[in-house]
Amino acid sequence: MPTARLNRLLEAANQIILGKDHEIRLALACVIARGHLLIEDVPGVGKTTLAHTLAQLMGLQFQRIQFTSDLLPADIIGVSIFDRDTSAFRFHPGPVFAQLVLADEINRASPKTQSALLEAMGERQVTADGNTFDLPEPFFVIATQNPAHQVGTFPLPESQLDRFLLRIRLGYPDPLAERALLMGEDRRSLLERHTPALEADDLIALQHAARSVHVAERLIDYVQALLSATRHDAELSAGLSPRAGLGLLSVARAWALMQGRDHVLPEDVQGLFPHLAGHRLHLAGDGRPVTGATLMRLLHAVALP
Amino acid sequence: MILDRLRAHSGKRQKPSAEVLLGRRQGSWLLGTALLTLAPHVSWLPPWIIALCAALLSWRGLLLWRGKQAPPHLLLLLLTVAAAAGVRAEFGHFFGKDPGVALLALLLGLKLLEVRSARDVRATVMLCFFLQLAIFFEDQSLPIAALALCATLLALVSLVTLIDPRGHETGHVRTAATLMAQGLPFMLALFVLFPRIEGPLWGLPADAFSARTGLSETMSPGSISALSTSGAIAFRASFAGSAPAPVQRYWRGPVLSQFDGRSWHAGRVQEAATPFYSPGGERIDYTLTLEAHARRWLLALDFPGTASAEPDPAAGRESGSGALRYTSDYQLLDRQPVHVRARYPLNAYPDTVVGREQSAAILAAARQLPPGFNARTQALAIELAAGASSDAQILQRAIDHLRDAELIYTLDPPLLGTDSVDEFLFDTKRGFCEHFASAFTVLMRAAGVPARVVTGYQGGEINPIDGNLVVRQLDAHAWSEVWLAGRGWVRVDPTYVSAPRRIEEGLAAALPAGESLAFSLGSQNNWARSVRLRWEALSNAWNQRVLGYNPDRQRELLAGLGIQGDDVWVLAGTLMACASALMLALFIWASRKRKAEDALDRAWRRLSKRLARRGLERQPWEGAHDYARRVALAIPELEAAMRTIGDNYARLRYGPEPDAAQVQALIRKIKTLRLP
């Protein structure tokens, strides 16, 4: 039973990352919906640990790329090097060739480098020197960025942000969790003691199962109304794209699957909507990202069919 | 529950919105509303109030543009006191509509400046609504009504923007327009059925008697040419058959028989309920729609027959003041001064012979001249009268003399001194119709022929769109009447002798080159003329159908619809019935807009309504799952039942292939749920 394994995975993850059950679930839903995740937060709240934990528990190969301003596209996707023995160029795959890639502080790199990764995310393949290389399956990118320090960074353009299915914030742990964290042992060594709860194939099976979760016509109506509300809101510069709509449905399916349900409820959509729309929508006036209050208002403006 | 977490997640909680600051969009709509509301008032407000209102509105606009809020309270208070004092100084008191509306206009400007909260916006919009009504005190024409309607729409948009400050503008306008469209049938029902009140609804005594342009009881050189600059409509006439030829269109106003050397005045006349002549000959039927002129006389085509003899039920009381009166100099009078536009069904017998038998006193009065004036005219009269066998011969000689004198008809006659008739006939030779009529009458009197001046209107223009004759102030005219033995009073128009085109083609045609009337009235530009004619036909229809909808026409219309009786209760009952029917229709329309729902949805909605009585109504966006949990938290006794209902409802609505038996079971469960 994939759900039982999922529960075991969540249980284990909760032991490592304390008090972040909801965020872990969101990240998992994102993986199951075959989307990529953007984590936006200040340093030291456990972004890397979350990525590590997910990779470890899901049994995925893990690569971490620390983005810096001098990082080049070849540093991500790999380079072709002339092989003297065969008298031909041989492609040396870069760190992107992993099942789970953590792109740390993605907004530190130049736009060119950013787009190299983002293209790989979108196409699930890499093209170098005219050759196309498929990325491993499953392929999942967790990118982090620090919203507080924008000096010397290249904020991701809206079109690139659209490639991330969800955006979450971890935030500081609550006092109880923080106390347990301070008193407990090192997370890294704790992590190493855990064996993967899923096989790589299990994840693919889960991804397939999510696709068959039922979506009623009413729910499509509702999602459509929600999308339309974002497009006709005077406060917003632009509405959600059809890609965002598709993403909302697929992540809602994953969420329903994780709840052990065979159909999607409006509550699933409502719960996921802010994470899906938060990084995609911008205010009309100054282009700042929308606040949670605006997203709540949008949700409250759309009646259920 | 997820939503709650999100709310916390979003970090900033929304402030409770008791004090909503005026946003730029709301402010702009409100400013637009005020602007459009005040615009028509410009026509009558004193200039300083207009200037102050404009300044206040601009100030508000500037504040909006700069994104600043209201100026300090103390300043506004001082301004308000100053404005009130100004109104007091201008009108002398605060009573009556003019000072009241002026004060409200200023208060609107001031209120706009201090708008901070939603409550202020509502108060301002109410003030705007009131001022939109108040403009009808001054002017009830079609463009004003259209303007007021636009202003009402804007006011509604302001209110909609207040309710939904972030929505789309076009959506707001659509909502407001829908609201207005829904109000329209009610407006029509009230207009048609609400008991009409006779006379001016808002005619406070002091206002109703304000001066209006038009003819007066005296005539001196320049008094009629002063009217020729006014294109204002004096009256309209619609003829039952074809209209009489231009040369026959003499509309009789005050008859002036006393001359003091410079001015003509009305003499003493008798009034009676029937004419002082027996009408005979060809008869012309027409309806006169007289603009208010605050005088008793009507402008009737010579010579009016007995209106009361009409069997027509619409006649008689149309004017609202009972039967008409006839004077011994053949004027037609209403019992009361005409303070509102009134309709009179009239007839005329142009061929009637009048005044064949006249008393010596009347004839003597018609020969009276003040001594010591116009010596040269008197000499001329003696010359004309010498050797004449009859008054008719003198008349003919006088007409011939006038024709030979080559007098010039002009709007711009030179000023005349003491002997005005002498100077006109022998020196300046330029005059308007009052000069002609006055000179000719004096000449006749000097020759011993009884004569008098008649003022009124001559001509008019047929509007080809609706066939009505429109007579304007510039058609005001003066002519003479001469009494001839055996023929009675005979109309002689000395203007016709010198300027026949004035009578045949109208004022614009008769004026010499270089003198012209205002563009749209005088010019023969076809395009402008056609626009003007169309517009006037439309205005006339508005006047007749809307403004002229008086108690009689209401009774007529309702009788046509099968509602009989003068009883107010019948009207009130019909009105109530109509309003209820309209409400019902609106209700049905609104409920049909709601999506067709099946039995489960209906049961679910009713459950929400039942719970609403405990303050637990389902929010429109709230899912069944979340709602059931919220109710379970509030009413712990229902926890198990509500959870089952919520989960099942969600599964049956959103799950694959709902089972009919399960749906029925859930409906039963919802219906039998007992609230503790």
Side-chain angles (χ1 to χ4, degrees):
Chain A
M1 263 314 274
T3 344
R5 290 192 176 183
L6 265 181
N7 284 338
R8 230 179 67 215
L9 190 152
L10 282 170
E11 204 177 297
N14 274 322
Q15 285 173 12
I16 300 162
I17 305 159
L18 298 172
K20 295 289 167 211
D21 179 53
H22 187 64
E23 285 72 15
I24 295 168
R25 280 172 186 275
L26 284 169
L28 209 52
C30 196
V31 184
I32 294 173
R34 288 166 57 87
H36 304 287
L37 183 69
L38 180 66
I39 306 179
E40 201 173 76
D41 227 320
V42 291
V45 290
K47 288 176 296 210
T48 316
T49 314
L50 175 66
H52 245 289
T53 310
L54 286 178
Q56 170 80 9
L57 293 178
M58 288 191 286
L60 302 177
Q61 303 161 261
F62 177 71
Q63 279 284 1
R64 175 189 164 148
I65 313 170
Q66 178 65 48
F67 277 53
T68 55
S69 56
D70 55 357
L71 195 75
L72 295 173
D75 297 333
I76 297 173
I77 60 177
V79 284
S80 295
I81 292 171
F82 188 74
D83 190 342
R84 220 175 263 277
D85 299 339
T86 56
S87 296
F89 281 98
R90 208 164 71 82
F91 181 67
H92 291 257
V96 77
F97 286 85
Q99 287 170 316
L100 198 160
V101 178
L102 172 66
D104 221 351
E105 299 202 79
I106 189 167
N107 55 345
R108 295 237 166 259
S110 66
K112 196 174 176 181
T113 313
Q114 286 173 2
S115 73
L117 175 72
L118 294 161
E119 259 176 67
M121 282 162 54
E123 315 295 327
R124 290 175 184 272
Q125 60 187 21
V126 163
T127 305
D129 299 333
N131 297 316
T132 302
F133 305 94
D134 280 337
L135 290 170
E137 191 69 25
F139 175 69
F140 178 52
V141 174
I142 296 178
T144 73
Q145 64 176 3
N146 181 352
H149 302 285
Q150 293 292 337
V151 182
T153 63
F154 302 92
L156 292 175
E158 279 164 47
S159 57
Q160 308 282 35
L161 284 172
D162 202 23
R163 293 184 193 267
F164 290 99
L165 182 56
L166 295 185
R167 185 209 52 189
I168 62 172
R169 293 196 172 111
L170 287 176
Y172 299 113
D174 60 70
L176 220 62
E178 188 156 27
R179 191 168 179 80
L181 179 76
L182 294 172
M183 288 172 71
E185 61 180 299
D186 179 43
R187 299 291 115 185
R188 199 59 64 95
S189 55
L190 201 61
L191 181 59
E192 273 155 20
R193 274 198 272 125
H194 279 278
T195 49
L198 291 182
E199 312 270 315
D201 288 346
D202 285 343
L203 187 57
I204 292 171
L206 276 171
Q207 288 175 343
H208 275 286
R211 271 181 242 171
S212 59
V213 169
H214 179 74
V215 171
E217 207 160 308
R218 286 184 180 234
L219 194 98
I220 305 266
D221 288 346
Y222 177 62
V223 168
Q224 224 176 354
L226 208 51
L227 294 178
S228 163
T230 66
R231 289 167 196 165
H232 293 109
D233 195 283
E235 204 183 320
L236 302 178
S237 60
L240 288 177
S241 63
R243 171 157 56 184
L246 285 171
L248 183 56
L249 273 185
S250 62
V251 75
R253 281 184 162 117
W255 189 265
L257 180 76
M258 286 166 62
Q259 309 284 319
R261 236 185 295 115
D262 65 347
H263 56 272
V264 180
L265 289 184
E267 282 90 334
D268 302 331
V269 174
Q270 289 170 347
L272 293 163
F273 176 77
H275 298 289
L276 180 115
H279 59 294
R280 287 180 164 96
L281 296 178
H282 292 82
L283 296 179
D286 41 14
R288 278 182 301 130
V290 286
T291 58
T294 307
L295 294 171
M296 290 307 295
R297 179 178 61 71
L298 277 169
L299 277 176
H300 288 184
V302 180
L304 289 182
Chain B
M1 50 169 191
I2 296 177
L3 292 180
D4 288 337
R5 190 167 320 138
L6 280 173
R7 218 170 278 141
H9 189 264
S10 72
K12 247 191 289 178
R13 272 167 196 273
Q14 219 169 0
K15 266 191 298 181
S17 56
E19 178 103 339
V20 182
L21 293 179
L22 185 69
R24 188 172 286 190
R25 279 169 8 127
Q26 288 170 351
S28 309
W29 280 114
L30 204 57
L31 192 63
T33 310
L35 198 64
L36 211 57
T37 304
L38 289 175
H41 286 277
V42 165
S43 63
W44 71 274
L45 280 174
W48 72 268
I49 295 184
I50 298 170
L52 187 51
C53 283
L56 291 173
L57 260 57
S58 318
W59 190 3
R60 174 80 256 188
L62 201 68
L63 290 179
L64 267 181
W65 183 53
R66 293 253 177 95
K68 287 185 183 160
Q69 289 296 325
H73 272 303
L74 188 65
L75 182 62
L76 286 177
L77 192 68
L78 286 176
L79 266 175
T80 311
V81 172
V87 169
R88 177 76 211 266
E90 174 81 34
F91 294 94
H93 56 89
F94 284 129
F95 307 108
K97 69 176 172 54
D98 283 355
V101 176
L103 191 62
L104 278 182
L106 284 172
L107 287 183
L108 174 60
L110 289 163
K111 182 73 194 169
L112 210 55
L113 273 177
E114 70 145 20
V115 168
R116 286 184 178 86
S117 64
R119 200 175 138 273
D120 290 335
V121 174
R122 270 182 228 115
T124 314
V125 169
M126 290 306 143
L127 202 52
C128 285
F129 279 143
F130 191 85
L131 280 166
Q132 286 157 19
L133 265 185
I135 186 59
F136 294 117
F137 289 138
E138 302 299 328
D139 191 343
Q140 301 169 24
S141 62
L142 191 54
I144 292 295
L147 207 58
L149 217 58
C150 291
T152 308
L153 180 67
L154 275 193
L156 285 176
V157 175
S158 302
L159 285 182
V160 175
T161 316
L162 188 67
I163 294 164
D164 176 19
R166 292 189 181 86
H168 228 238
E169 312 266 278
T170 44
H172 288 164
V173 176
R174 205 178 304 127
T175 309
T178 313
L179 282 173
M180 251 175 107
Q182 286 170 348
L184 211 63
F186 290 92
M187 185 183 88
L188 281 177
L190 283 169
F191 176 77
V192 172
L193 292 172
F194 195 83
R196 309 303 291 186
I197 295 162
E198 196 78 62
L201 184 54
W202 25 63
L204 296 173
D207 299 317
F209 295 95
S210 56
R212 301 191 194 247
T213 53
L215 294 174
S216 67
E217 291 100 334
T218 63
M219 184 188 86
S220 48
S223 65
I224 291 184
S225 49
L227 290 176
S228 67
T229 54
S230 165
I233 290 168
F235 59 91
R236 294 179 166 91
S238 63
F239 293 92
S242 59
V247 282
Q248 282 187 11
R249 291 184 207 142
Y250 280 87
W251 306 91
R252 197 182 190 85
V255 177
L256 312 176
S257 55
Q258 289 186 356
F259 186 54
D260 63 5
R262 178 160 188 88
S263 309
W264 288 88
H265 301 273
R268 284 183 179 281
V269 290
Q270 289 170 273
E271 278 181 33
T274 50
F276 285 79
Y277 46 86
S278 43
E282 186 202 355
R283 166 173 158 168
I284 299 170
D285 282 310
Y286 64 101
T287 305
L288 181 79
T289 306
L290 184 61
E291 298 290 320
H293 62 351
R295 315 282 190 179
R296 284 183 61 202
W297 63 75
L298 311 184
L299 283 307
L301 206 58
D302 276 345
F303 293 93
T306 12
S308 52
E310 294 271 321
D312 182 4
R317 279 190 32 124
E318 280 272 83
S319 67
S321 46
L324 300 174
R325 306 283 286 173
Y326 298 80
T327 67
S328 54
D329 51 8
Y330 320 130
Q331 294 179 59
L332 195 57
L333 304 180
D334 200 334
R335 286 193 184 270
Q336 305 288 329
V338 182
H339 286 306
V340 284
R341 184 185 297 109
R343 281 158 41 95
Y344 303 90
L346 297 177
N347 52 45
Y349 296 85
D351 303 331
T352 309
V353 176
V354 293
R356 206 176 297 176
E357 316 288 331
Q358 289 281 290
S359 70
I362 291 180
L363 293 182
R367 289 197 189 94
Q368 164 269 339
L369 275 180
F373 286 101
N374 303 317
R376 282 187 278 175
T377 308
Q378 303 223 7
L380 173 67
I382 291 166
E383 190 186 310
L384 290 174
S389 58
S390 67
D391 284 357
Q393 201 178 355
I394 301 175
L395 175 64
Q396 193 53 52
R397 286 184 188 173
I399 290 172
D400 292 342
H401 177 85
L402 277 192
R403 188 173 294 127
D404 297 340
E406 292 188 345
L407 301 174
I408 293 165
Y409 182 74
T410 172
L411 259 183
D412 191 21
L415 289 174
L416 299 176
T418 324
D419 293 326
S420 55
V421 174
D422 274 6
E423 287 170 39
F424 167 63
L425 279 181
F426 300 103
D427 304 335
T428 66
K429 294 195 170 187
R430 295 162 65 84
F432 200 57
C433 57
E434 68 262 36
H435 299 84
F436 284 87
S438 173
F440 186 79
T441 310
V442 168
L443 186 62
M444 283 285 99
R445 286 187 173 193
V449 183
R452 60 194 183 191
V453 170
V454 183
T455 59
Y457 294 84
Q458 203 288 323
E461 185 183 21
I462 302 273
N463 188 329
I465 309 293
D466 58 2
N468 287 339
L469 182 77
V470 178
V471 179
R472 301 167 186 286
Q473 294 300 348
L474 57 84
D475 292 316
H477 193 51
W479 59 93
S480 300
E481 260 181 353
V482 178
W483 189 83
L484 298 176
R487 290 175 59 189
W489 288 103
V490 175
R491 178 171 62 220
V492 178
D493 190 347
T495 310
Y496 185 61
V497 174
S498 298
R501 296 186 71 189
R502 159 68 183 87
I503 310 303
E504 286 160 1
E505 292 171 47
L507 180 59
L511 290 176
E515 278 184 43
S516 67
L517 296 171
F519 167 73
S520 70
L521 292 169
S523 110
Q524 293 301 309
N525 181 319
N526 278 332
W527 178 81
R529 197 176 122 90
S530 125
V531 168
R532 176 170 59 86
L533 290 174
R534 264 165 216 288
W535 172 248
E536 281 173 4
L538 191 65
S539 297
N540 189 36
W542 169 262
N543 290 342
Q544 302 287 349
R545 303 265 159 74
V546 179
L547 301 183
Y549 186 69
N550 58 19
D552 297 301
R553 307 191 103 198
Q554 185 176 36
R555 207 172 298 122
E556 238 175 272
L557 182 79
L558 293 181
L561 293 173
I563 305 163
Q564 292 289 349
D566 282 349
D567 197 355
V568 177
W569 293 110
V570 175
L571 272 184
T574 318
L575 189 57
M576 287 302 290
C578 265
S580 320
L582 283 170
M583 276 311 278
L584 194 69
L586 264 185
F587 185 76
I588 290 169
W589 179 73
S591 61
R592 285 193 73 171
K593 274 196 79 175
R594 193 166 7 181
K595 264 197 182 157
E597 54 180 5
D598 63 7
L600 180 55
D601 277 337
R602 206 175 308 127
W604 175 246
R605 187 166 52 80
R606 288 196 183 143
L607 176 65
S608 156
K609 275 204 168 166
R610 274 164 71 196
L611 286 163
R613 274 175 245 145
R614 313 232 170 167
L616 288 168
E617 191 178 15
R618 191 179 71 84
Q619 299 297 314
W621 47 266
E622 199 173 20
H625 217 264
D626 286 354
Y627 178 54
R629 267 148 191 77
R630 187 158 67 89
V631 173
L633 268 181
I635 312 175
E637 294 94 318
L638 288 182
E639 183 169 354
M642 272 313 284
R643 274 174 183 266
T644 325
I645 289 175
D647 291 357
N648 280 335
Y649 177 82
R651 185 169 49 77
L652 290 173
R653 287 287 89 141
Y654 294 97
E657 293 139 39
D659 178 43
Q662 285 182 0
V663 170
Q664 286 309 317
L666 182 58
I667 292 174
R668 225 170 305 124
K669 191 166 173 61
I670 292 176
K671 281 186 177 167
T672 53
L673 182 73
R674 283 179 180 275
L675 303 190

